[in-house]
């Protein structure tokens, strides 16, 4: 039995020796392969760079070290983990996406650029969204593209976030299942398609990708190195050729420009002709005309008329080729003028010239229609013509293939052009044509009724319909309509020039911007004046100054003036020295339009200036009358109407207009009126009354520069202080003249190193006359901005306030992988720096800010108070939350303006004075917002099951092995003295 035990003990000792050797080896190598709390844990690097989707400041020290350091640490761990399979190598290169409309394949040039676990996502941006319009507008700013664009957002998704490839291009192949390239974009070959990438989804960062397109298979392939929104569109219109610059529509119209309608047969059948009409035969099936009070321009009809043609109401001028006036019934017979047919012959020649010119379009210029194209958008079901990016000139477009009958509904045809461009729409193959309402530069045709400023637009849209027998309107139109062989039926009010065999106005009106008669007006000119005196006598040599006089017109209500509703007409200033003479102040007013006829009321007033008080205002009534005389109507192309305006003026000394003045005079008396005001603000510290804390304030006066911002000119008061309740009141200000004064209140904060001020307050003091004009009054308003736009709403509970915020630093402890997860019980120390040199990256550490380390609370927040501006600190995490490694340290640099610069650093080896800034780790904060925007610091979780740094860790196992090894050695030595460890024992 003893022998058996002895042998068992021998084997036990042998096993312990082996274990001891392994322990000693681990003892020697363990510190290098284990993870210390000083460096933080090392985790497997994720493939791809996650896009920044928030305003995170969660950079840890491990996140900010260089990639080379990460690779070295990872390599050492791999060597120590014998037999462990490498799980970080990504081998996948092909990623696919497919839905009902598209199929997409992305092939990586570098397999490690994206993690194998990532997914390819392709999202179409619909045309109806505001996002689509944003990108389309951005495209059109770069070049003139057609209206159809296909937009897709292409991205890689990993763990619910978008990631970008970290290196190498990605070849993307897209297959369109519904033939979108040919059907939607009208792509005919590889050169037609343009693929544009919006880098970082920024509309201003556009790059054109080299695409290889196969129209038959509806596929395209291109390379990308980053992913965001892609636009597919057709090429711009710059290759469509040059326009015809020989066509001049003004010369083409000739004398016919004075007539809105030229026709053989003119029929009024329910509507009105608000234009000059040239016709061989005119018929009126319904009584027409407008009431005189409508102030409409006159119709002008050159016609042979039958007995049914009756004209009433406003001025209508009828010319007939014979002297048979009995065929015409007119309410104002002296306006009936009988003339020869000479003018009609001239117009017929003009129309024939236009028809000849149009015929040449059909033969010699047929190929010119390729200079512009009409596009159809199947989504909006609208036709569009956009030549706004092309050269000046005339563009010819055929609408035969479009079929005007198919353009149903309002604004189905959209035209975009410049003022120097003319569009000719040729409709030559149809017998019956329907013209629908359309838009020009987003304006409907109604815009051009009675608007002579827009006359160029109707003249530059030409509808050439040479072969149709019937033309009808569906909706308002505008332009030059040439249908010499057709009956034109008008159903909607329209404008422009109309040339047809028969014109039948069934409803609505036809307007022409040249419909008015040339008028000669003789305006009425009046001179309103006032005499200036001082102390009821002529100014003497001792009086020298400037006096401002203002003329204002009063609104009229129920025939009476409203003196509270005034409009400035003119302001004059007498800048002469008032030396021994009467000063006459004159205002000249010209009345020349019909709208000026009637009674006008004015006030002549003088501003209070230089201590002189005016005694009253001058009230004026001006009556304007019109004397109209018509003459020279014997030529319809040179018709003149003369209007003479007259005016009478009456002056009054009172607003009731009861006391007339033959000699309007304003007398000034010397006065010494003064007024005062006090400017005051509120001072708070961290939102509360300052108590015993006192702060100093300056009051400066200035003016506004050309940008409307305050410029200091002089100091009014220095070192004003607050009381315990925070009230700050400046010395009383005195004023002797009306005017506006601007001030700035600033806090003298050079001694307030522990506080940051909320900013200056700006004050405007308006000094003005009282209602009776005898006293001066002040109105004080406060503003937050130097341009005096953001006014402070002052009340008993809301006063203009300068608040001081204590300088402090707030940090937020989070999980490094999940910034939304806050961590409590992390401990930090903040130490003052006696010196910091950011050029040489050296520092000297001083005293702790707090006597004990500061722990993060349940919200992960830790606050350091009582800090100073223009100081630097070292922040160190002394204890990480349970299950996490510490990170850091960091520099906290507080600027003189209260801005905080936050830098992650690491100390150089064996040094606590030399440091390096880790990567792109600089973050900026503001003391005024640090409570709501704390500095975020992320800690990494421990990744291993071995004991944490700071306890016994693996060392206790190494110690046990060493002790056992020592016992084994002692035993061996003892046994060797008896014949060796495994020698034969003496049993004697």
């Amino acid at each position: 039995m003893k022998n058996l035990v002895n042998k068992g003990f021998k084997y036990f000792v042998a096993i312990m020796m082996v274990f001891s050797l392994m322990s000693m080896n681990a003892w020697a190598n363990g510190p290098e392969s284990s993870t210390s709390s000083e460096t933080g844990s090392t985790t497997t690097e994720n493939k791809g760079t996650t896009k920044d989707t928030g305003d995170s400041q969660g950079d840890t020290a491990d996140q900010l070290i260089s990639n080379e350091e990460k690779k070295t640490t990872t390599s050492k761990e791999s060597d120590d983990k014998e037999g462990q399979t490498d799980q970080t190598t990504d081998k996948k290169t092909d990623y696919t996406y497919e839905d009902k409309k598209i199929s997409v394949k992305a092939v990586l040039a570098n397999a490690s650029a994206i993690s194998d676990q990532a997914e390819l996502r392709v999202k179409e941006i619909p045309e109806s969204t505001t996002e689509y319009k944003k990108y389309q507008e951005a495209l059109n700013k770069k070049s003139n593209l057609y209206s159809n664009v296909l937009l897709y957002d292409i991205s890689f998704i990993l763990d619910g976030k978008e990631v970008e490839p970290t290196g190498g291009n990605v070849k993307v192949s897209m297959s369109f299942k519904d033939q979108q390239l040919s059907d939607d974009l009208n792509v005919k070959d590889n050169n037609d398609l343009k693929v544009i990438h919006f880098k970082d989804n920024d509309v201003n960062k556009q790059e054109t990708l080299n695409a290889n397109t196969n129209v038959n298979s509806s596929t395209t392939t291109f390379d990308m190195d980053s992913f965001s929104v892609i636009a597919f569109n057709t090429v711009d219109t710059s290759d469509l050729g040059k326009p015809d610059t020989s066509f001049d529509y003004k010369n083409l119209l000739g004398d016919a420009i004075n007539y809105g309608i030229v026709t053989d047969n003119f029929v009024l059948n329910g509507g009105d002709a608000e234009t000059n009409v040239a016709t061989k035969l005119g018929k009126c099936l319904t009584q027409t005309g407008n009431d005189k009070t409508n102030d409409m321009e006159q119709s002008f009809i050159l016609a042979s008329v039958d007995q049914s043609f009756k004209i009433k109401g406003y001025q209508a001028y009828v010319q007939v080729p014979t002297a048979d006036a009995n065929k015409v019934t007119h309410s104002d017979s002296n306006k009936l003028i009988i003339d020869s047919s000479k003018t009609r012959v001239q117009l017929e020649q003009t129309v024939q010239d236009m028809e000849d010119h149009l015929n040449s379009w059909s033969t010699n210029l047929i190929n010119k229609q390729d200079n512009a194209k009409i596009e159809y958008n199947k989504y909006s079901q609208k036709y569009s013509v956009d030549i706004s990016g092309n050269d000046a000139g005339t563009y010819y477009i055929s609408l035969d293939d479009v079929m005007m009958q198919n353009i149903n509904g309002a604004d189905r045809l959209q035209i975009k052009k410049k003022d120097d461009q003319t569009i000719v729409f040729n409709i030559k193959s149809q017998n019956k044509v329907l013209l629908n309402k359309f838009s020009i530069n987003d304006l409907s045709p109604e815009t051009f009724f009675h608007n002579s400023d827009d006359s160029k637009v109707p003249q530059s849209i030409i509808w050439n319909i040479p072969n149709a027998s019937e033309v009808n309107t569906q909706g308002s139109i505008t332009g030059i309509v040439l249908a010499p062989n057709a009956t034109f039926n008008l159903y909607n009010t329209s404008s422009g020039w109309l040339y047809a065999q028969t014109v039948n106005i069934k409803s609505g009106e036809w307007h022409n911007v040249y419909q008015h008669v040339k008028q000669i007006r003789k305006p009425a000119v009046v001179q309103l004046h006032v005499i200036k005196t001082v102390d009821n006598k002529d100014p003497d040599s001792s009086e020298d100054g400037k006096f401002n006089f203002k003329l204002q017109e009063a609104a009229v209500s129920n025939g009476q003036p409203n003196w509270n509703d005034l409009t400035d007409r003119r302001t004059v200033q007498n800048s002469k020295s008032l030396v021994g003479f009467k000063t006459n102040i004159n205002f000249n007013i010209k009345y020349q339009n019909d709208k000026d006829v009637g009674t006008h009321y004015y006030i002549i007033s003088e501003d209070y200036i230089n201590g002189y008080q005016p005694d009253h205002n001058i009230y004026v009534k001006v009556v304007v009358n019109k004397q109209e005389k018509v003459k020279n109507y014997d030529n319809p192309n040179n018709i003149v109407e003369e209007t003479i305006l007259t005016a009478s003026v009456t002056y009054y000394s009172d607003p009731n207009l009861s006391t007339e003045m033959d000699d309007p005079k304003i007398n000034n008396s010397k006065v010494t009126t003064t007024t005062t005001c006090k400017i005051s603000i509120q001072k708070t510290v961290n939102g509360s009354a300052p108590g015993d804390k006192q702060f100093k304030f300056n009051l400066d006066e200035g003016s506004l520069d050309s940008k409307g911002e305050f410029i200091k000119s002089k100091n009014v008061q220095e070192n004003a202080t607050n009381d315990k309740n925070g009230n700050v009141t400046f010395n009383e200000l005195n004023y002797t003249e009306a005017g506006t004064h601007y001030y700035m209140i600033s806090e003298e904060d050079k001694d307030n190193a522990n506080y940051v001020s909320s900013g200056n307050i700006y004050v405007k003091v308006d000094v003005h006359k009282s209602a009776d004009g005898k006293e001066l009054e002040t109105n004080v308003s406060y503003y937050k901005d130097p341009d005096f736009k953001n006014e402070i709403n002052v009340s008993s509970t809301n006063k203009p306030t300068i608040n001081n915020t204590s300088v402090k630093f707030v940090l937020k402890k989070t999980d490094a992988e999940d910034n939304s997860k806050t961590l409590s019980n992390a401990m930090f120390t903040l130490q003052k720096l006696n010196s910091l040199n950011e050029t040489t990256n050296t520092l000297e550490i001083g005293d702790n800010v707090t006597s004990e380390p500061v722990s993060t609370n349940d919200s992960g927040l830790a606050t350091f108070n009582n800090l100073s501006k223009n100081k630097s600190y070292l922040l160190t995490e002394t204890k990480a939350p349970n299950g996490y490694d510490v990170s850091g340290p960091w520099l906290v640099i507080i600027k003189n303006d209260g801005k905080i610069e936050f830098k992650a650093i690491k100390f150089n080896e064996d040094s606590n004075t030399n440091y390096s800034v880790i990567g792109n780790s600089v973050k900026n904060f503001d003391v005024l917002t640090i409570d709501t925007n704390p500095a975020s610091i992320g800690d990494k979780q421990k990744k291993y099951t071995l004991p944490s740094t700071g306890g016994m860790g693996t060392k206790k196992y190494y110690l046990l092995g060493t002790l056992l090894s020592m016992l084994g050695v002692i035993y061996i030595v003892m046994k060797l003295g008896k014949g060796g460890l495994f020698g034969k024992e003496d049993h004697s």
Side-chain angles (χ1 to χ4, degrees):
M1 183 65 181
K2 181 179 180 182
N3 185 38
L4 180 61
V5 172
N6 201 15
K7 287 184 178 181
F9 186 73
K10 292 178 183 178
Y11 288 112
F12 172 74
V13 171
I15 294 172
M16 290 300 101
M17 290 177 65
V18 174
F19 179 74
S20 298
L21 292 173
M22 293 175 62
S23 300
M24 293 174 67
N25 179 65
W27 181 278
N29 296 326
E32 294 185 6
S33 59
S34 64
T35 302
S36 72
S37 61
E38 295 178 358
T39 59
S41 60
T42 303
T43 60
T44 302
E45 181 183 359
N46 285 332
K47 298 296 181 180
T49 302
T50 304
K51 291 184 179 178
D52 186 6
T53 58
D55 190 19
S56 172
Q57 284 88 30
D59 295 337
T60 67
D62 283 339
Q63 289 173 309
L64 297 171
I65 62 176
S66 67
N67 287 334
E68 288 300 320
E69 290 174 306
K70 286 186 178 182
K71 291 178 181 178
T72 301
T73 305
T74 304
S75 175
K76 289 180 180 179
E77 290 181 355
S78 300
D79 293 339
D80 293 337
K81 295 180 181 180
E82 183 177 355
Q84 181 175 338
T85 303
D86 184 5
Q87 300 295 329
T88 64
T89 302
D90 291 316
K91 299 180 179 179
K92 182 178 178 180
T93 59
D94 294 0
Y95 297 78
T96 60
Y97 171 88
E98 187 170 5
D99 58 25
K100 296 180 179 179
K101 299 176 66 175
I102 59 172
S103 176
V104 183
K105 182 178 180 180
V107 180
L108 305 180
N110 179 5
S112 62
I114 291 290
S115 171
D116 286 355
Q117 283 70 43
E119 296 181 359
L120 179 66
R121 185 184 70 179
V122 183
K123 179 182 177 182
E124 183 178 7
I125 301 176
E127 184 182 2
S128 59
T129 62
T130 56
E131 185 181 12
Y132 181 96
K133 295 178 181 178
K134 177 183 72 174
Y135 286 107
Q136 186 183 37
E137 289 174 0
L139 287 172
N140 286 323
K141 288 181 180 178
K142 295 288 185 180
S143 59
N144 302 307
L145 301 172
Y146 292 131
S147 60
N148 293 349
V149 178
L150 296 177
L151 290 173
Y152 291 91
D153 188 1
I154 306 177
S155 59
F156 284 99
I157 305 298
L158 179 63
D159 296 333
K161 297 181 179 180
E162 293 186 16
V163 294
E164 294 284 8
T166 57
N169 287 337
V170 180
K171 183 176 291 296
V172 178
S173 300
M174 295 190 66
S175 177
F176 298 86
K177 299 180 180 181
D178 293 338
Q179 302 297 315
Q180 292 98 314
L181 297 185
S182 58
D183 292 352
D184 295 347
L185 301 183
N186 197 29
V187 176
K188 295 181 175 57
D189 57 43
N190 180 45
N191 296 324
D192 282 347
L193 184 66
K194 180 175 288 187
V195 181
I196 295 178
H197 177 212
F198 294 91
K199 301 201 71 171
D200 302 324
N201 291 333
D202 187 342
V203 296
N204 297 315
K205 295 180 180 179
Q206 299 181 25
E207 64 172 356
T208 301
L209 304 179
N210 292 325
N212 186 10
T213 304
N214 188 318
V215 181
N216 294 331
S217 61
S218 197
T219 59
T220 184
T221 303
F222 47 89
D223 290 338
M224 302 176 66
D225 57 6
S226 63
F227 287 77
S228 48
V229 173
I230 301 292
F232 300 90
N233 41 250
T234 49
V235 297
D236 59 34
T237 58
S238 60
D239 62 343
L240 296 178
K242 298 298 182 181
D244 176 16
T245 58
S246 63
F247 178 61
D248 186 346
Y249 55 81
K250 289 184 178 179
N251 291 336
L252 184 63
L253 287 172
D255 292 336
I257 198 171
N258 297 306
Y259 296 87
I261 297 176
V262 176
T263 182
D264 291 339
N265 301 286
F266 178 66
V267 181
L268 285 175
N269 192 13
D272 289 326
E274 300 271 332
T275 182
N276 302 341
V277 179
T279 181
K280 293 181 179 178
L281 179 63
K283 293 184 179 181
C284 183
L285 305 182
T286 58
Q287 192 164 268
T288 185
N290 288 310
D291 190 88
K292 288 183 179 181
T293 60
N294 285 348
D295 195 27
M296 300 292 290
E297 299 286 359
Q298 59 277 355
S299 289
F300 216 138
I301 302 176
L302 175 67
S304 296
V305 295
D306 61 13
Q307 293 179 352
S308 65
F309 201 98
K310 296 181 180 180
I311 304 172
K312 73 167 188 176
Y314 67 97
Q315 303 168 10
Y317 304 90
V318 180
Q319 295 196 17
V320 295
T322 66
D324 189 0
N326 294 327
K327 290 185 178 181
V328 179
T329 302
H330 196 283
S331 60
D332 193 354
S333 59
N334 68 337
K335 301 294 177 62
L336 176 63
I337 298 177
I338 300 177
D339 196 6
S340 67
S341 59
K342 177 181 179 181
T343 301
R344 172 67 204 181
V345 174
Q346 293 174 343
L347 291 176
E348 287 179 343
Q349 184 59 49
T350 298
V351 174
Q352 185 61 51
D353 292 341
M354 295 182 70
E355 292 180 17
D356 293 341
H357 196 113
L358 290 174
N359 289 333
S360 70
W361 296 349
S362 302
T363 55
N364 301 328
L365 302 178
I366 186 63
N367 294 326
K368 288 289 185 179
Q369 73 176 29
D370 288 336
N371 287 349
K373 293 182 180 179
I374 187 165
E375 297 291 332
Y376 177 67
N377 188 320
K378 73 176 184 179
Y379 296 106
S380 62
Q381 296 184 339
K382 293 182 178 181
Y383 293 87
S384 63
V385 174
D386 187 353
I387 59 172
S388 58
N390 293 15
D391 296 335
T394 302
Y395 294 81
Y396 304 87
I397 300 175
S398 174
L399 292 183
D400 290 334
D401 295 335
V402 175
M403 298 295 292
M404 291 301 292
Q405 291 89 337
N406 294 332
I407 309 180
N408 295 317
D411 296 335
R412 294 293 300 281
L413 176 62
Q414 298 174 327
I415 303 170
K416 290 187 180 299
K417 59 179 290 298
K418 294 186 296 189
D419 290 343
D420 55 6
Q421 294 172 324
T422 299
I423 296 180
V424 178
F425 290 112
N426 290 310
I427 310 172
K428 294 176 290 186
S429 65
Q430 299 180 46
N431 184 52
K432 185 176 181 180
V433 174
L434 179 66
L435 296 181
N436 284 271
K437 182 179 178 180
F438 55 91
S439 64
I440 307 171
N441 297 337
D442 298 325
L443 299 176
S444 62
E446 291 92 340
T447 305
F448 310 110
F449 299 166
H450 294 303
N451 193 342
S452 60
D453 293 337
D454 291 326
S455 61
K456 290 183 178 180
V457 177
Q459 292 181 65
S460 63
I461 301 295
I462 301 177
W463 304 90
N464 180 29
I465 316 173
N467 302 318
S469 62
E470 181 180 344
V471 178
N472 299 287
T473 64
Q474 179 172 293
S476 300
I477 65 168
T478 191
I480 301 174
V481 180
L482 298 171
N485 299 309
T487 296
F488 185 93
N489 297 310
L490 180 70
Y491 294 94
N492 309 90
T493 300
S494 302
S495 66
W497 288 263
L498 172 58
Y499 306 90
Q501 187 177 60
T502 298
V503 174
N504 190 348
I505 300 181
K506 295 191 174 183
S507 62
E509 301 167 352
W510 186 273
H511 290 248
N512 180 265
V513 292
Y514 281 94
Q515 67 190 51
H516 55 80
V517 174
K518 181 180 178 181
Q519 295 182 339
I520 296 178
R521 295 181 179 271
K522 292 185 178 180
V525 180
V526 299
Q527 186 179 77
L528 306 183
H529 70 279
V530 62
I531 299 174
K532 177 78 174 81
T533 60
V534 177
D535 293 331
N536 291 315
K537 58 185 178 181
D538 293 346
D540 58 35
S541 58
S542 63
E543 304 297 342
D544 186 11
K546 295 181 179 180
F547 298 85
N548 290 329
F549 297 86
K550 182 184 295 183
L551 176 68
Q552 294 175 292
E553 184 170 5
V556 179
S557 177
N558 296 324
Q560 298 298 318
N562 183 355
W563 301 116
N564 293 320
D565 187 359
L566 301 174
T567 303
D568 288 349
R569 289 295 296 260
R570 188 182 175 197
T571 299
V572 298
Q573 184 181 76
N574 168 40
S575 60
K576 299 178 182 178
S577 298
L578 304 180
V579 181
F581 63 91
K582 290 184 178 181
T583 303
N584 289 288
I585 306 301
N586 300 319
F587 296 91
N588 295 323
I589 305 177
K590 180 185 290 187
Y591 304 95
Q592 56 187 359
N593 298 317
D594 288 346
K595 64 180 181 181
D596 293 331
V597 175
T599 304
H600 303 261
Y601 298 93
Y602 303 94
I603 293 180
I604 301 176
S605 59
E606 178 188 346
D607 288 343
Y608 173 86
I609 286 184
N610 295 336
Y612 290 93
Q613 179 68 50
D615 54 355
H616 59 75
N617 298 324
I618 303 296
Y619 300 87
V620 187
K621 180 173 72 173
V622 178
V623 179
V624 180
N625 295 306
K626 181 175 70 171
Q627 296 178 348
E628 188 175 74
K629 182 179 181 182
V630 178
K631 64 179 182 180
N632 191 19
Y633 287 96
D634 54 354
N635 186 342
N637 293 321
N638 187 26
I639 298 175
V640 178
E641 181 179 272
E642 185 179 51
T643 301
I644 302 173
L645 299 181
T646 60
S648 61
V649 181
T650 309
Y651 297 92
Y652 300 89
S653 61
D654 63 294
N656 296 323
L657 308 182
S658 59
T659 305
E660 293 189 20
M661 302 178 68
D662 294 332
D663 193 12
K665 179 178 67 173
I666 294 180
N667 181 62
N668 283 52
S669 300
K670 185 74 173 181
V671 294
T672 57
T673 302
T674 62
T675 186
T676 62
C677 79
K678 284 188 176 182
I679 295 174
S680 62
I681 64 168
Q682 196 76 14
K683 177 63 187 173
T684 58
V685 177
N686 294 324
S688 301
D692 294 333
K693 298 183 180 69
Q694 274 203 337
F695 302 88
K696 297 178 181 180
F697 304 88
N698 294 332
L699 178 66
D700 297 314
E701 186 172 6
S703 58
L704 302 185
D705 61 12
S706 59
K707 297 180 180 179
E709 294 186 356
F710 180 85
I711 300 178
K712 174 183 174 181
S713 59
K714 66 178 180 178
N715 176 260
V716 177
Q717 183 179 348
E718 291 183 345
N719 299 328
T721 59
N722 57 276
D723 60 20
K724 291 184 178 181
N725 295 321
N727 298 307
V728 182
T729 303
F730 295 92
N731 296 334
E732 189 174 74
L733 300 174
N734 299 306
Y735 305 96
T736 59
E737 297 181 9
T740 303
H741 301 264
Y742 299 93
Y743 302 93
M744 178 181 70
I745 301 173
S746 58
E747 180 178 353
E748 183 61 63
D749 63 349
K750 63 182 179 181
D751 298 325
N752 299 331
N754 300 112
Y755 297 98
V756 176
S757 172
S758 60
N760 300 331
I761 292 178
Y762 299 86
V763 188
K764 181 170 69 174
V765 179
D766 178 34
V767 184
H768 56 276
K769 292 186 294 185
S770 59
D772 59 9
K774 297 181 180 180
E775 302 292 337
L776 287 179
E777 297 177 342
T778 59
N779 181 51
V780 183
S781 51
Y782 298 84
Y783 299 83
K784 296 180 180 179
D785 306 305
D787 54 3
F788 293 84
K789 292 182 179 179
N790 193 359
E791 185 174 358
I792 301 172
N793 184 18
V794 179
S795 65
S796 59
T797 57
N798 184 40
K799 299 180 180 180
T801 303
I802 294 179
N803 180 60
N804 274 22
T805 302
S806 297
V807 179
K808 60 182 176 180
F809 177 71
V810 183
L811 63 87
K812 181 180 181 182
K813 171 61 66 175
T814 64
D815 185 296
E817 302 298 330
D818 183 3
N819 289 337
S820 64
K821 181 179 180 181
T822 58
L823 304 176
S824 60
N825 298 321
M827 300 187 70
F828 292 88
T829 60
L830 189 67
Q831 297 168 288
K832 299 178 183 177
L833 295 183
N834 294 333
S835 65
L836 173 65
N837 190 325
E838 295 187 83
T839 301
T840 61
N841 282 6
T842 58
L843 56 82
E844 180 184 345
I845 302 174
D847 298 333
N848 289 345
V849 173
T850 59
S851 58
E852 298 292 336
V854 178
S855 299
T856 56
N857 59 20
D858 292 341
S859 300
L861 299 177
T863 302
F864 295 90
N865 294 304
N866 301 319
L867 306 182
S868 298
K869 293 182 290 185
N870 207 24
K871 296 289 184 182
S872 300
Y873 302 86
L874 179 68
L875 177 67
T876 306
E877 183 177 8
T878 58
K879 177 181 175 297
N882 291 336
Y884 289 84
D885 288 316
V886 297
S887 55
W890 298 267
L891 290 180
V892 180
I893 304 171
I894 304 178
K895 305 293 186 179
N896 198 46
D897 59 359
K899 304 293 183 182
I900 300 177
E901 196 170 78
F902 184 55
K903 298 181 178 181
I905 67 170
K906 67 175 181 179
F907 284 105
N908 297 340
E909 187 175 358
D910 299 328
S911 173
N912 63 352
T913 60
N914 295 86
Y915 68 91
S916 300
V917 178
I918 300 177
N920 184 21
S921 65
V922 180
K923 304 290 182 181
N924 292 297
F925 301 89
D926 194 325
V927 167
L928 296 177
T929 61
I930 194 69
D931 286 323
T932 57
N933 184 31
S936 185
I937 298 173
D939 278 355
K940 289 188 175 181
Q941 295 188 35
K942 296 181 182 297
K943 298 298 183 180
Y944 308 105
T945 59
L946 292 177
S948 303
T949 301
M952 284 292 292
T954 59
K955 293 181 180 180
K956 59 187 178 181
Y957 299 103
Y958 304 151
L959 180 60
L960 177 59
T962 302
L963 291 176
L964 290 174
S965 178
M966 292 174 63
L967 289 175
V969 171
I970 293 171
Y971 178 79
I972 293 170
V973 171
M974 292 175 63
K975 294 300 291 182
L976 285 174
K978 297 181 180 183
L981 178 62
F982 297 100
K984 185 176 181 181
E985 295 189 22
D986 185 6
H987 297 284
S988 60

